[in-house]
Amino acid sequence: MTIRGLEVQFRPEHTEIPARLDSEDDVDAFIDALLSGQHDRSCAVVYSLDRPMMPSGYWDHELSVGVDRVAQVGALTLAVDDGYVSKGQMDRGIGEYTLLGHVREFMPGSEIPIDLVREAVKEFLVSGGQIPMCIEWQTEEF
């Protein structure tokens, strides 16, 4: 199976032309960019080029990735069929990450170590946009 890659948006210029991730090294560079970026860009949306578009022209899914550079944790949501959010072992309350100046809240208990965030995004890439199984998921409540 040939993997077509991922499109990501987390910088203003990505609203016109999304960034492209074609390899696991690209995923590492993307996560590093989120971790070292501006405080108002700690979240991204990711789309698999291997998943279908709906008749409306929108993707049939959306993976949101938030990172906290200080705590070295992050959270993931995946909208596909139902809404899923990563399930963490810690609960720091609502995780607030910023996507292009807009706050994106992740429900309490969704933060996981940054290494697991990396692993999940890599799995999303190599599986062609399937739900990453390297982390636990829970139903998103909001």
Side-chain angles (χ1 to χ4, degrees), residues 63-135:
L63 178 67
S64 294
V65 179
V67 300
D68 181 328
R69 76 179 96 193
V70 175
Q72 289 293 294
V73 297
L76 303 163
T77 63
L78 181 58
V80 58
D81 300 323
D82 290 317
Y84 301 98
V85 64
S86 49
K87 183 175 182 180
Q89 301 299 316
M90 63 187 96
D91 186 348
R92 299 186 320 148
I94 293 174
E96 290 188 352
Y97 300 94
T98 309
L99 175 61
L100 298 172
H102 301 283
V103 173
R104 170 66 168 93
E105 293 183 341
F106 290 74
M107 65 185 242
S110 62
E111 292 177 310
I112 59 177
I114 202 68
D115 289 340
L116 285 177
V117 171
R118 286 180 193 276
E119 187 176 342
V121 177
K122 288 176 183 179
E123 186 176 337
F124 190 67
L125 167 71
V126 301
S127 71
Q130 299 301 307
I131 297 172
M133 301 308 293
C134 63
I135 64 170

